[in-house]
Amino acid sequence: MFRTKKSLASRILGTAALVCAVGFTSSFATTDNPLTLWYNSDAGTEFTNALPIGNGYMGGLIYGGVEKDYIGLNESTVWSGGPGDNNKQGAASHLKDARDALWRGDYRTAESIVSQYMIGPGPASFQPVGDLVISTSHKGSSNYRRELDLKTAIAKTTYTVGGVKHTREYFASYPDHVIVVHLSADKDGSVSFGATMTTPHRNNRMTSSGNTLIYDVTVNSIKFQNRLTVVADGGTVSVSNGNINVQGANSATLILTTATNFKSYNDVSGDPGAIASEIMSKVAKKSYEDLLAAHLKDYQTIFNRVKLDLGTADKSAGDITSTRVKNFNSTNDPSLVELHYQYGRYLLIASSRKGGQPANLQGIWNKDTNPIWGSKYTTNINLEMNYWPAESGNLEECVWPLIDKIKSMVPQGEKTAKVHWGVDEGWVEHHNTDLWNRSAPIDGAWGLWPTGAGWLTTHLWEHFLYNPTDKAYLQDVYSTMKGAALFFVNSLVEEPTTGNKYLVTAPSDSPENDHGGYNVCFGPTMDNQIIRDVLNYTIEASKILGVDEDVRAKMEATVKRLPPTKTGKYGQITEWLQDWDDPNNKNRHISHLYGLFPSAQITPEETPDLIKGAGVTLQQRGDDATGWSLAWKINFWARMHDGDHAYRMIRMLLTPSKTYNNLFDAHPPFQIDGNFGAVSGVNEMLMQSHNNRINLLPALPSQWANGSVKGIRARGGFEIDSMAWKGGKLTYVAIKSLVGSTLNVVSGTNKFSTSTVPGKVYEFDGNLKVTNAPFEPLEITDKIQAENYVAMDGVQIEEDSLGTPNIGWINDGDWTQYYVNIPAAGSYVLTGRVATGSEKESVITVTDSTGKILGTLSVDPAKSKGWNDWYESSTKITLPAGKQKLTFTYTGEDTYLCNVDWYNLKADPTALPQAKMHNASLSVSRVPYSHASIALMVNAPANDYVVHLVGVNGKFIGSQRGHGEGLAEFGVGAPLAPGMYFAIVKSASQQKTMKLTVH
């Protein structure tokens, strides 16, 4: 809880900017911490040195050579293979034999049956388009720099030859569906180069038309066409023999597009030539500046939503990016984590946009015709991980390719459900798919995992949780969710081995792990957890839409019979239905903790025993793992509320063995899911929003003691408009309600709930005290409870030994501010009820709204023997009449200074007539067990009183008036909506303000 000391002078000078002082501050745009990857040499021939660009349809990988610059090209629908399925005919007829073997524990026989009769052929693989090659005669270059600016999504290569500085800028435009390369120099007439295209695919033909090269290529069922054109400023342009030649230009722009014949998983009737021609015709009417402006507007609208500041950058922040990764474990540079985080967001924007295909194992970048693991879609973790940051990272536009893909998979999945499982209603996906939506199990016995469709459809529900009023969307995806749920309703079987008659998947496996050398099993924990989510989500969706009551009953009956998540003999979460776990198994897949993350079936709040079991499992598996597994572990430890352990995973990830020079994630080899999983992990460390509550800073590591974040999204339709913390503690948060859901927010032991208004921002201090709610000034005849401030910095609200709230944990430079109404100008006695456990004296300085010092209170350790040993300290101050804000600044030399129970202002009897003071005391208390939503007992001796009730959003609820003693009731006939309310009670010159919660 260390806090940087602040001088009283700086506090006084800053009084006029109180809201800013407790609000959102950052160093996002400092030149010391640019969001730029840079290098002083080209990428050579190394794929993982090159810099990626993309527009969701097309990917480009910039190698940046001076004499020969390669831009590796991809298009999201260029795959091998063609329409059709990969089902193993007759597979379902062997289910009974396989299950019988499982029931009697004969896993050798069960595995043999599965391997021989139930595994289909492998799916297709993602293919490269080829290369755009730029050639120059530039030899002996100097001052070389290659970079990728994440703020603009523009890659750049600069170098000097013969005293002339040359610049190449590369970007991929989503609005215009093109890749653009702009070549320029700081001396007119100096731009000369050649440009051509190559492809590794043999079936190709190059032609030209004017200044445009046209490249037609065929890969199995896919036909694609590249069109490359040039626009030069000055100089000469010629096209011959498949080459564009530019000589003596001031600048030149290369524009490239790729179009294919792919229309859907079962339709390749498109005309790539017509599509490419139309794209280039539209682009021909635009200047380079027009293309650039459209690109920046589109990209920055998405990217700029989130800003992250994790503390002061290390002095090494300006080093070459690969050097920063190499040295991260010694520098702990927070700006490198920020760069890696925003790079992950950048990669998803570049590889996944509406109209394109989802990001695959390598996003949208691949140079090999036989890529590792096919560069396809692996659905037992990898594809799902790609999209973990899409919602929380405020990248909603990027999730649509996944949503559209899942919906399109149903017909193929229904065929596989019939052929492999004998199921007539529902659809299935196993652990891999491709462009053609093939859904049968592949590879071997470990591929017979029938829960892929289930996991994928949880993403459909997740999108609804972030947009909970979009019933049109829910209606659109409901049939896909229901189909996945019904597959389980119709395929689960009763197991006869435990005596509990659980419904289980059989056969199945726990992804890519084995028990005693065998993969096949029944009812593995991950299956049960996924199926529980799928059924519960679909049940809830049917209720919201008011449909399928009969189907809902089937799902409800099924979910009740699923095996529960349980712990085993070592205290671990068991991976299988049986307690087979090997405590020395270090497998990268920790599938049985799906319930911890991405699901929320295991939480510290609801299932503390299972949380302990999850901790045992994580300790058994160890920290070291592949890149993507480390990223998953960041999320796991964040959900365990262990920020320092989550940060340890980040340190292990940001090393040369797990992160390549261009910051691509290393399995190894390259797999992009680790980049995306790490973004999700950081979001989970800073904010979690599962189970109907927003938990702020649930896993903040000590390394990030001070920082801020803006723009991440929470379930329920909320956005963290801005959040700041200092000394490891929340100082300010503003939460925007996007759709008007009920807001439930938690920070440490502080909680707050209220109904919300769409579009309104709700601001809180570090104690979750609303700072932008309506407040009436406190009359000076009433005690000012210390926790009833209107603004503060640093202090925390706590309870004393009797349960009475006060403010504590006060550090040097902290302050509170109170809004008061002074009836008459003059001299007043200010008293504070204080306590301290410090051995050093501290001072409370009172200033007015101009920063003028009015007086000081001393906190004397000789008069207090502990943090709840109260005594009163007084001083005289002079105040003008009227409403005003008083700021109390706490200064001292110890770590913690004092606690304050209340302040009181009384007219100085030597300066003001006593007749102006009110002796009758106004009291207000809430009446429990009333038939009203809020009932208050008011006692205003011999005086009239009025009670005003307002919502936290400022909406006036109503007023009640009375005389003397009486009951004020609100919400009698029509109950008040759940949330927070403020009651303002006035009698004569006295006032009390109460914060009230309606559940």
Side-chain angles (χ1 to χ4, degrees), residues 5 55 135 165 387 535 540 559-560 596 624 644 656 679 724 770 904 938-939 941 948 957 970:
K5 292 191 175 183
N55 60 16
S135 302
K165 181 180 180 181
Y387 287 88
L535 293 175
E540 187 63 23
V559 78
K560 291 177 182 177
L596 177 62
D624 194 20
D644 284 338
V679 176
V770 179
N904 198 5
V938 182
N939 188 357
H948 302 298
I957 306 300
F970 301 88

PDB file of all heavy atoms in Angstrom, residues 5 55 135 165 387 535 540 559-560 596 624 644 656 679 724 770 904 938-939 941 948 957 970:
ATOM      1  N   LYS A   5       4.589  10.218  -1.970  1.00  0.00           N
ATOM      2  CA  LYS A   5       4.243  11.380  -1.163  1.00  0.00           C
ATOM      3  C   LYS A   5       3.968  12.582  -2.048  1.00  0.00           C
ATOM      4  O   LYS A   5       4.627  12.820  -3.044  1.00  0.00           O
ATOM      5  CB  LYS A   5       5.379  11.707  -0.188  1.00  0.00           C
ATOM      6  CG  LYS A   5       5.546  10.634   0.898  1.00  0.00           C
ATOM      7  CD  LYS A   5       6.478  11.103   1.981  1.00  0.00           C
ATOM      8  CE  LYS A   5       6.548  10.084   3.105  1.00  0.00           C
ATOM      9  NZ  LYS A   5       7.388  10.536   4.205  1.00  0.00           N
ATOM     10  N   ASN A  55      -6.342  -7.055 -43.399  1.00  0.00           N
ATOM     11  CA  ASN A  55      -7.631  -6.356 -43.381  1.00  0.00           C
ATOM     12  C   ASN A  55      -8.794  -7.314 -43.141  1.00  0.00           C
ATOM     13  O   ASN A  55      -9.931  -6.996 -43.442  1.00  0.00           O
ATOM     14  CB  ASN A  55      -7.845  -5.583 -44.688  1.00  0.00           C
ATOM     15  CG  ASN A  55      -7.840  -6.473 -45.917  1.00  0.00           C
ATOM     16  OD1 ASN A  55      -7.972  -7.690 -45.822  1.00  0.00           O
ATOM     17  ND2 ASN A  55      -7.688  -5.869 -47.094  1.00  0.00           N
ATOM     18  N   SER A 135      11.794  -4.977 -56.207  1.00  0.00           N
ATOM     19  CA  SER A 135      13.245  -5.032 -56.433  1.00  0.00           C
ATOM     20  C   SER A 135      13.792  -3.645 -56.729  1.00  0.00           C
ATOM     21  O   SER A 135      13.147  -2.834 -57.419  1.00  0.00           O
ATOM     22  CB  SER A 135      13.563  -5.958 -57.615  1.00  0.00           C
ATOM     23  OG  SER A 135      13.064  -7.260 -57.378  1.00  0.00           O
ATOM     24  N   LYS A 165      17.045   9.569 -48.638  1.00  0.00           N
ATOM     25  CA  LYS A 165      16.272   8.739 -47.724  1.00  0.00           C
ATOM     26  C   LYS A 165      15.066   8.169 -48.461  1.00  0.00           C
ATOM     27  O   LYS A 165      14.257   8.897 -49.031  1.00  0.00           O
ATOM     28  CB  LYS A 165      15.794   9.543 -46.520  1.00  0.00           C
ATOM     29  CG  LYS A 165      14.997   8.708 -45.518  1.00  0.00           C
ATOM     30  CD  LYS A 165      14.543   9.531 -44.328  1.00  0.00           C
ATOM     31  CE  LYS A 165      13.755   8.675 -43.346  1.00  0.00           C
ATOM     32  NZ  LYS A 165      13.286   9.460 -42.183  1.00  0.00           N
ATOM     33  N   TYR A 387     -10.526 -15.922 -29.815  1.00  0.00           N
ATOM     34  CA  TYR A 387     -11.602 -14.942 -29.663  1.00  0.00           C
ATOM     35  C   TYR A 387     -11.902 -14.572 -28.209  1.00  0.00           C
ATOM     36  O   TYR A 387     -12.856 -13.847 -27.933  1.00  0.00           O
ATOM     37  CB  TYR A 387     -12.861 -15.440 -30.393  1.00  0.00           C
ATOM     38  CG  TYR A 387     -12.660 -15.313 -31.886  1.00  0.00           C
ATOM     39  CD1 TYR A 387     -12.069 -16.332 -32.614  1.00  0.00           C
ATOM     40  CD2 TYR A 387     -12.974 -14.130 -32.541  1.00  0.00           C
ATOM     41  CE1 TYR A 387     -11.822 -16.193 -33.971  1.00  0.00           C
ATOM     42  CE2 TYR A 387     -12.744 -13.974 -33.893  1.00  0.00           C
ATOM     43  CZ  TYR A 387     -12.165 -15.005 -34.606  1.00  0.00           C
ATOM     44  OH  TYR A 387     -11.918 -14.847 -35.948  1.00  0.00           O
ATOM     45  N   LEU A 535     -26.042 -26.423 -22.156  1.00  0.00           N
ATOM     46  CA  LEU A 535     -27.438 -26.656 -21.786  1.00  0.00           C
ATOM     47  C   LEU A 535     -28.007 -25.479 -21.007  1.00  0.00           C
ATOM     48  O   LEU A 535     -29.121 -25.005 -21.295  1.00  0.00           O
ATOM     49  CB  LEU A 535     -27.549 -27.941 -20.976  1.00  0.00           C
ATOM     50  CG  LEU A 535     -27.233 -29.240 -21.734  1.00  0.00           C
ATOM     51  CD1 LEU A 535     -27.271 -30.432 -20.777  1.00  0.00           C
ATOM     52  CD2 LEU A 535     -28.210 -29.461 -22.878  1.00  0.00           C
ATOM     53  N   GLU A 540     -31.529 -20.766 -20.800  1.00  0.00           N
ATOM     54  CA  GLU A 540     -31.776 -19.351 -20.522  1.00  0.00           C
ATOM     55  C   GLU A 540     -32.202 -18.615 -21.783  1.00  0.00           C
ATOM     56  O   GLU A 540     -33.101 -17.759 -21.735  1.00  0.00           O
ATOM     57  CB  GLU A 540     -30.507 -18.720 -19.932  1.00  0.00           C
ATOM     58  CG  GLU A 540     -30.681 -17.294 -19.452  1.00  0.00           C
ATOM     59  CD  GLU A 540     -31.673 -17.153 -18.309  1.00  0.00           C
ATOM     60  OE1 GLU A 540     -31.914 -18.149 -17.593  1.00  0.00           O
ATOM     61  OE2 GLU A 540     -32.215 -16.036 -18.139  1.00  0.00           O
ATOM     62  N   VAL A 559     -29.257 -31.764 -17.750  1.00  0.00           N
ATOM     63  CA  VAL A 559     -28.193 -31.079 -17.020  1.00  0.00           C
ATOM     64  C   VAL A 559     -28.133 -31.542 -15.566  1.00  0.00           C
ATOM     65  O   VAL A 559     -27.060 -31.561 -14.947  1.00  0.00           O
ATOM     66  CB  VAL A 559     -28.362 -29.547 -17.123  1.00  0.00           C
ATOM     67  CG1 VAL A 559     -29.434 -29.029 -16.180  1.00  0.00           C
ATOM     68  CG2 VAL A 559     -27.050 -28.840 -16.868  1.00  0.00           C
ATOM     69  N   LYS A 560     -29.260 -31.965 -15.011  1.00  0.00           N
ATOM     70  CA  LYS A 560     -29.285 -32.448 -13.629  1.00  0.00           C
ATOM     71  C   LYS A 560     -28.532 -33.763 -13.458  1.00  0.00           C
ATOM     72  O   LYS A 560     -28.129 -34.104 -12.346  1.00  0.00           O
ATOM     73  CB  LYS A 560     -30.729 -32.621 -13.165  1.00  0.00           C
ATOM     74  CG  LYS A 560     -31.488 -31.315 -12.989  1.00  0.00           C
ATOM     75  CD  LYS A 560     -32.933 -31.564 -12.596  1.00  0.00           C
ATOM     76  CE  LYS A 560     -33.692 -30.252 -12.468  1.00  0.00           C
ATOM     77  NZ  LYS A 560     -35.128 -30.482 -12.147  1.00  0.00           N
ATOM     78  N   LEU A 596     -12.949 -23.157 -14.692  1.00  0.00           N
ATOM     79  CA  LEU A 596     -12.344 -21.978 -14.071  1.00  0.00           C
ATOM     80  C   LEU A 596     -12.254 -20.840 -15.077  1.00  0.00           C
ATOM     81  O   LEU A 596     -12.564 -19.690 -14.778  1.00  0.00           O
ATOM     82  CB  LEU A 596     -10.955 -22.330 -13.535  1.00  0.00           C
ATOM     83  CG  LEU A 596     -10.125 -21.205 -12.920  1.00  0.00           C
ATOM     84  CD1 LEU A 596     -10.818 -20.624 -11.685  1.00  0.00           C
ATOM     85  CD2 LEU A 596      -8.722 -21.712 -12.568  1.00  0.00           C
ATOM     86  N   ASP A 624       5.849 -23.793 -16.546  1.00  0.00           N
ATOM     87  CA  ASP A 624       6.393 -23.798 -17.903  1.00  0.00           C
ATOM     88  C   ASP A 624       5.487 -24.589 -18.838  1.00  0.00           C
ATOM     89  O   ASP A 624       4.925 -25.618 -18.469  1.00  0.00           O
ATOM     90  CB  ASP A 624       7.798 -24.380 -17.915  1.00  0.00           C
ATOM     91  CG  ASP A 624       8.519 -24.095 -19.224  1.00  0.00           C
ATOM     92  OD1 ASP A 624       8.100 -23.157 -19.940  1.00  0.00           O
ATOM     93  OD2 ASP A 624       9.497 -24.790 -19.529  1.00  0.00           O
ATOM     94  N   ASP A 644       0.110 -11.884  -8.858  1.00  0.00           N
ATOM     95  CA  ASP A 644       1.556 -12.079  -8.986  1.00  0.00           C
ATOM     96  C   ASP A 644       1.878 -13.368  -9.740  1.00  0.00           C
ATOM     97  O   ASP A 644       2.845 -13.423 -10.513  1.00  0.00           O
ATOM     98  CB  ASP A 644       2.214 -12.083  -7.605  1.00  0.00           C
ATOM     99  CG  ASP A 644       2.337 -10.686  -7.017  1.00  0.00           C
ATOM    100  OD1 ASP A 644       2.306  -9.713  -7.797  1.00  0.00           O
ATOM    101  OD2 ASP A 644       2.437 -10.570  -5.788  1.00  0.00           O
ATOM    102  N   PRO A 656      12.397 -15.059 -25.401  1.00  0.00           N
ATOM    103  CA  PRO A 656      12.653 -15.456 -26.796  1.00  0.00           C
ATOM    104  C   PRO A 656      12.197 -16.874 -27.134  1.00  0.00           C
ATOM    105  O   PRO A 656      11.914 -17.159 -28.300  1.00  0.00           O
ATOM    106  CB  PRO A 656      14.179 -15.323 -26.910  1.00  0.00           C
ATOM    107  CG  PRO A 656      14.538 -14.276 -25.913  1.00  0.00           C
ATOM    108  CD  PRO A 656      13.609 -14.510 -24.759  1.00  0.00           C
ATOM    109  N   VAL A 679      -3.868 -11.235 -24.244  1.00  0.00           N
ATOM    110  CA  VAL A 679      -4.714 -10.033 -24.138  1.00  0.00           C
ATOM    111  C   VAL A 679      -5.860 -10.298 -23.171  1.00  0.00           C
ATOM    112  O   VAL A 679      -6.143  -9.499 -22.271  1.00  0.00           O
ATOM    113  CB  VAL A 679      -5.267  -9.621 -25.519  1.00  0.00           C
ATOM    114  CG1 VAL A 679      -6.221  -8.437 -25.384  1.00  0.00           C
ATOM    115  CG2 VAL A 679      -4.134  -9.272 -26.468  1.00  0.00           C
ATOM    116  N   ALA A 724      -8.439   3.971 -12.804  1.00  0.00           N
ATOM    117  CA  ALA A 724      -7.074   4.258 -12.371  1.00  0.00           C
ATOM    118  C   ALA A 724      -6.834   3.640 -11.005  1.00  0.00           C
ATOM    119  O   ALA A 724      -7.759   3.466 -10.206  1.00  0.00           O
ATOM    120  CB  ALA A 724      -6.832   5.767 -12.322  1.00  0.00           C
ATOM    121  N   VAL A 770     -20.148   6.788  -5.056  1.00  0.00           N
ATOM    122  CA  VAL A 770     -20.522   7.516  -6.272  1.00  0.00           C
ATOM    123  C   VAL A 770     -20.050   8.956  -6.172  1.00  0.00           C
ATOM    124  O   VAL A 770     -20.303   9.635  -5.168  1.00  0.00           O
ATOM    125  CB  VAL A 770     -22.042   7.473  -6.481  1.00  0.00           C
ATOM    126  CG1 VAL A 770     -22.430   8.256  -7.730  1.00  0.00           C
ATOM    127  CG2 VAL A 770     -22.530   6.041  -6.587  1.00  0.00           C
ATOM    128  N   ASN A 904     -16.879  18.233  12.811  1.00  0.00           N
ATOM    129  CA  ASN A 904     -18.009  19.037  13.256  1.00  0.00           C
ATOM    130  C   ASN A 904     -17.608  20.502  13.233  1.00  0.00           C
ATOM    131  O   ASN A 904     -16.465  20.847  13.583  1.00  0.00           O
ATOM    132  CB  ASN A 904     -18.418  18.623  14.681  1.00  0.00           C
ATOM    133  CG  ASN A 904     -19.815  19.102  15.023  1.00  0.00           C
ATOM    134  OD1 ASN A 904     -20.513  19.659  14.184  1.00  0.00           O
ATOM    135  ND2 ASN A 904     -20.217  18.891  16.270  1.00  0.00           N
ATOM    136  N   VAL A 938     -38.267   9.427  10.951  1.00  0.00           N
ATOM    137  CA  VAL A 938     -37.682  10.757  11.068  1.00  0.00           C
ATOM    138  C   VAL A 938     -38.106  11.367  12.408  1.00  0.00           C
ATOM    139  O   VAL A 938     -39.288  11.319  12.782  1.00  0.00           O
ATOM    140  CB  VAL A 938     -38.134  11.676   9.910  1.00  0.00           C
ATOM    141  CG1 VAL A 938     -37.473  13.041  10.028  1.00  0.00           C
ATOM    142  CG2 VAL A 938     -37.806  11.028   8.569  1.00  0.00           C
ATOM    143  N   ASN A 939     -37.160  11.938  13.133  1.00  0.00           N
ATOM    144  CA  ASN A 939     -37.450  12.633  14.386  1.00  0.00           C
ATOM    145  C   ASN A 939     -36.874  14.031  14.304  1.00  0.00           C
ATOM    146  O   ASN A 939     -35.657  14.227  14.323  1.00  0.00           O
ATOM    147  CB  ASN A 939     -36.855  11.877  15.569  1.00  0.00           C
ATOM    148  CG  ASN A 939     -37.307  12.463  16.904  1.00  0.00           C
ATOM    149  OD1 ASN A 939     -38.018  13.463  16.928  1.00  0.00           O
ATOM    150  ND2 ASN A 939     -36.884  11.842  17.985  1.00  0.00           N
ATOM    151  N   PRO A 941     -37.603  17.185  16.370  1.00  0.00           N
ATOM    152  CA  PRO A 941     -38.344  17.753  17.511  1.00  0.00           C
ATOM    153  C   PRO A 941     -38.845  19.164  17.239  1.00  0.00           C
ATOM    154  O   PRO A 941     -38.069  20.063  16.935  1.00  0.00           O
ATOM    155  CB  PRO A 941     -37.318  17.722  18.645  1.00  0.00           C
ATOM    156  CG  PRO A 941     -36.372  16.621  18.260  1.00  0.00           C
ATOM    157  CD  PRO A 941     -36.291  16.679  16.767  1.00  0.00           C
ATOM    158  N   HIS A 948     -36.571  13.976   0.645  1.00  0.00           N
ATOM    159  CA  HIS A 948     -36.501  13.820  -0.814  1.00  0.00           C
ATOM    160  C   HIS A 948     -35.765  12.518  -1.125  1.00  0.00           C
ATOM    161  O   HIS A 948     -34.695  12.254  -0.554  1.00  0.00           O
ATOM    162  CB  HIS A 948     -35.734  14.973  -1.469  1.00  0.00           C
ATOM    163  CG  HIS A 948     -36.316  16.323  -1.184  1.00  0.00           C
ATOM    164  ND1 HIS A 948     -37.581  16.699  -1.570  1.00  0.00           N
ATOM    165  CD2 HIS A 948     -35.785  17.401  -0.534  1.00  0.00           C
ATOM    166  CE1 HIS A 948     -37.813  17.935  -1.198  1.00  0.00           C
ATOM    167  NE2 HIS A 948     -36.733  18.383  -0.555  1.00  0.00           N
ATOM    168  N   ILE A 957     -37.423  10.661  -7.226  1.00  0.00           N
ATOM    169  CA  ILE A 957     -38.385   9.590  -6.962  1.00  0.00           C
ATOM    170  C   ILE A 957     -39.637  10.130  -6.279  1.00  0.00           C
ATOM    171  O   ILE A 957     -40.751   9.788  -6.648  1.00  0.00           O
ATOM    172  CB  ILE A 957     -37.741   8.485  -6.093  1.00  0.00           C
ATOM    173  CG1 ILE A 957     -36.443   7.987  -6.731  1.00  0.00           C
ATOM    174  CG2 ILE A 957     -38.725   7.343  -5.878  1.00  0.00           C
ATOM    175  CD1 ILE A 957     -36.602   7.391  -8.110  1.00  0.00           C
ATOM    176  N   PHE A 970     -41.494   4.960   0.845  1.00  0.00           N
ATOM    177  CA  PHE A 970     -41.387   5.031  -0.613  1.00  0.00           C
ATOM    178  C   PHE A 970     -41.477   3.606  -1.172  1.00  0.00           C
ATOM    179  O   PHE A 970     -40.885   2.689  -0.619  1.00  0.00           O
ATOM    180  CB  PHE A 970     -40.065   5.667  -1.047  1.00  0.00           C
ATOM    181  CG  PHE A 970     -39.867   7.059  -0.524  1.00  0.00           C
ATOM    182  CD1 PHE A 970     -39.266   7.262   0.719  1.00  0.00           C
ATOM    183  CD2 PHE A 970     -40.283   8.153  -1.249  1.00  0.00           C
ATOM    184  CE1 PHE A 970     -39.083   8.541   1.210  1.00  0.00           C
ATOM    185  CE2 PHE A 970     -40.101   9.437  -0.775  1.00  0.00           C
ATOM    186  CZ  PHE A 970     -39.504   9.638   0.471  1.00  0.00           C
TER     187      PHE A 970
END
